[in-house]
Amino acid sequence: RRSSDLLARGASSAVFVENNPKTFMCLNENLKDIPNVKLSKADAYHFETEDRFDIIFLDPPYDKFPEEIASFKQFLNPNGIMVVSSPKPLDDTSRKFASCFITLMR
């Protein structure tokens, strides 16, 4: 799915946080003509913003998967949801999808 699909489905804006230089360059090229998109070259574990989000998609590198994944909830709006991709189930609501697990957190 293309990055722009998110905005095409009704999101008013999007923020992408990427630390990998190659992936960042690819995102930068793909998103350059899309309005209301911010791209931040940062490590998500040290990302700082005053913004709050309705939806967060979190797919951290599995070799650096944090123990306290819930710390990202600080960026959610009160009724927001976080979709987490992980190498193992995070709780009993996690569901297997392809080679990973998907967990929805509120």
Side-chain angles (χ1 to χ4, degrees), residues 35-48:
N36 301 323
V37 172
K38 263 197 278 187
L39 177 58
S40 177
K41 187 170 189 324
D43 180 337
Y45 305 115
H46 301 103
F47 178 67
E48 294 182 22

Side-chain angles (χ1 to χ4, degrees), residues 13-97:
S13 64
V15 175
F16 293 80
V17 178
E18 181 56 56
N19 193 38
N20 180 287
K22 286 184 180 181
T23 305
F24 180 86
M25 286 176 36
C26 181
L27 279 170
N28 194 42
E29 181 64 26
N30 289 340
L31 299 171
K32 69 181 178 187
D33 296 326
I34 300 174
N36 301 323
V37 172
K38 263 197 278 187
L39 177 58
S40 177
K41 187 170 189 324
D43 180 337
Y45 305 115
H46 301 103
F47 178 67
E48 294 182 22
T49 183
E50 304 228 353
D51 293 334
R52 294 298 172 258
F53 305 97
D54 294 325
I55 304 171
I56 296 175
F57 294 97
L58 190 60
D59 186 20
Y62 290 165
D63 62 333
K64 296 181 182 177
F65 200 84
E67 290 297 317
E68 189 47 54
I69 199 77
S71 67
F72 288 95
K73 287 184 181 181
Q74 68 180 316
F75 299 115
L76 283 175
N77 280 324
N79 293 318
I81 189 165
M82 189 163 63
V83 181
V84 183
S85 171
S86 61
K88 60 184 180 185
L90 299 180
D91 60 33
D92 58 351
T93 68
S94 299
R95 297 293 177 254
K96 182 102 167 117
F97 182 76

